[in-house]
């Protein structure tokens, strides 16, 4: 394909990807108030951490768990923002395929398998981080709203609360990509196990510092859970790199030419080896010895 054809293909792929995101956003916008069989509505799912607070700690004028709307247009904007986010997640296989279809023609078969593995594990780790964030948010909110004691009652506005939840999901999901990044860099030879072992203490300290600044809430629960999860994933990645480098070292040791430069000759053994004579030659030599 010419450069012009590549640009046309990129335009078509981007157009289809945006179309799928828009359709997914419409679905998410409708899902906000609609139950999908056993699956509750999107608003109910997002309100679960807030509703998990004690009834006497949150503002409930109607006896229901509801958020506070300060502006007439705030409800629509919150619903629109959450709908787009949910639509991107739901339609991810469709628009990611468009990106994949544009990239794969320029990759070798090995690179395609490598990229496909990266996408699969990245999706799994991001989902695992988002699930962990959703589990931690209620405990974090309980600690945050408890600082004021009985002098305050919690009346969270919709925009601030939804932004807090979405940021927590995003931070936990992106943070869980750290072990995958380490393993991939090690696979291509950019980050050997020896460096990770030497930098381990500094990296672990950096993970806790990152967790302290990355979590939007000031509660210690979210910070500790995120840092501990990243630490465990980092240690798992370190062990994977150790196994990979050990196997690579064994393969290089078996190959005599692995560490040679392009202008260096292959080492050869020029010493002659003893050769056992064949049976007729051995018999002839014995008869000659008897005669002499």
């Amino acid at each position: 394909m010419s450069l012009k054809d590549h640009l046309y293909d990129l335009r078509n792929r981007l157009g289809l990807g945006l179309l799928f995101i828009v359709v997914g956003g419409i679905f998410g916008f409708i899902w906000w108030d609609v139950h999908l069989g056993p699956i509750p509505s999107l608003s109910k799912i997002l309100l679960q951490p807030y509703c998990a607070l004690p009834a006497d700690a949150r503002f409930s004028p109607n006896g229901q768990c509801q958020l506070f709307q300060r502006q007439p247009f705030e409800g629509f904007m919150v619903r629109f923002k959450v709908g787009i986010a949910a639509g991107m997640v739901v339609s991810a296989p469709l628009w990611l395929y468009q990106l994949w279809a544009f990239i794969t023609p320029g990759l070798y078969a090995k690179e395609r398998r490598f990229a496909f593995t990266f996408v699969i594990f990245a999706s799994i780790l991001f989902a695992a981080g988002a699930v962990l964030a959703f589990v931690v948010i209620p405990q974090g909110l309980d600690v945050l709203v408890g600082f004021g004691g009985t002098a305050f009652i919690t009346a969270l506005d919709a925009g601030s609360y939804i932004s807090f939840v979405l940021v927590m999901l995003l931070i936990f999901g992106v943070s869980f990509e750290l072990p995958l990044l380490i393993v991939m860099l090690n696979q291509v030879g950019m980050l050997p196990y020896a460096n990770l072992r030497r930098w381990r203490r500094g990296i672990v300290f950096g993970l806790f510092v990152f967790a302290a600044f990355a979590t939007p809430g000031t509660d210690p629960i979210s910070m500790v859970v995120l840092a501990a999860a990243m630490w465990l994933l980092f240690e798992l990645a370190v062990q994977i790199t150790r196994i990979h480098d050990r196997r690579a070292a064994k393969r290089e040791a078996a190959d005599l030419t692995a560490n040679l430069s392009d202008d260096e000759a292959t080492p050869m053994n020029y010493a002659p080896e003893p050769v056992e004579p064949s049976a007729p030659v051995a018999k002839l030599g014995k008869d000659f010895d008897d005669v002499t």
Side-chain angles (χ1 to χ4, degrees):
M1 296 176 63
S2 64
L3 177 60
K4 183 179 179 180
D5 293 332
H6 277 295
L7 292 177
Y8 282 147
D9 185 48
L10 176 62
R11 182 194 62 183
N12 296 333
R13 298 293 180 185
L14 288 176
L16 287 174
L18 290 175
L19 177 62
F20 291 138
I21 292 176
V22 170
V23 173
I26 295 174
F27 168 78
F29 189 85
I30 297 174
W31 184 20
W32 176 267
D33 268 340
V34 177
H35 293 263
L36 303 177
I39 303 177
S41 64
L42 191 57
S43 59
K44 188 174 182 179
I45 294 175
L46 292 177
L47 280 174
Q48 284 181 1
Y50 177 62
C51 296
L53 295 175
D56 56 349
R58 50 182 168 81
F59 185 59
S60 304
N62 301 325
Q64 300 178 1
C65 180
Q66 295 175 309
L67 295 175
F68 188 66
Q69 184 176 210
R70 298 179 302 172
Q71 302 174 2
F73 207 58
E74 186 174 9
F76 173 81
M77 291 304 300
V78 169
R79 184 171 178 175
F80 176 78
K81 180 169 60 176
V82 174
I84 291 295
M88 290 186 66
V89 174
V90 173
S91 62
L94 298 177
W95 58 266
L96 282 177
Y97 172 77
Q98 300 302 320
L99 178 62
W100 178 257
F102 178 76
I103 295 176
T104 48
L107 301 178
Y108 293 106
K110 182 179 180 181
E111 294 172 338
R112 293 178 186 177
R113 293 193 297 268
F114 191 79
F116 182 76
T117 303
F118 179 85
V119 171
I120 292 298
F121 280 97
S123 302
I124 295 174
L125 289 173
F126 187 90
V131 170
L132 180 62
F134 203 76
V135 173
V136 171
I137 288 174
Q139 286 74 22
L141 278 177
D142 193 15
V143 173
L144 291 174
V145 302
F147 284 133
T150 59
F152 296 93
I153 188 168
T154 305
L156 299 178
D157 64 273
S160 300
Y161 172 75
I162 295 299
S163 298
F164 171 77
V165 173
L166 293 181
V167 169
M168 285 285 290
L169 296 177
L170 180 63
I171 288 176
F172 272 73
V174 172
S175 300
F176 270 48
E177 305 294 340
L178 173 66
L180 181 61
L181 179 62
I182 292 175
V183 172
M184 289 301 178
L185 291 177
N186 175 258
Q187 293 287 328
V188 298
M190 296 180 61
L191 189 59
Y193 165 73
N195 292 350
L196 289 174
R197 183 179 59 183
R198 186 167 60 252
W199 302 337
R200 175 177 285 167
R201 293 183 179 180
I203 293 177
V204 172
F205 177 77
L207 293 179
F208 278 86
V209 174
F210 169 80
F213 284 96
T215 49
T218 56
D219 62 292
I221 296 180
S222 302
M223 182 196 71
V224 173
V225 170
L226 177 61
M230 293 178 64
W231 183 18
L232 293 177
L233 292 174
F234 169 73
E235 293 296 338
L236 176 62
V238 169
Q239 297 306 315
I240 294 176
T241 58
R242 181 179 65 85
I243 296 174
H244 173 264
D245 287 2
R246 179 181 296 178
R247 292 179 178 177
K250 289 182 179 180
R251 288 194 300 266
E252 291 182 1
D255 187 3
L256 296 178
T257 62
N259 297 321
L260 296 180
S261 61
D262 295 338
D263 56 350
E264 187 177 358
T266 303
M268 300 182 66
N269 183 13
Y270 297 99
E273 296 181 357
V275 179
E276 295 294 336
S278 59
V281 174
K283 184 175 183 304
L284 179 62
K286 182 179 181 183
D287 295 341
F288 180 77
D289 292 339
D290 294 340
V291 171
T292 56

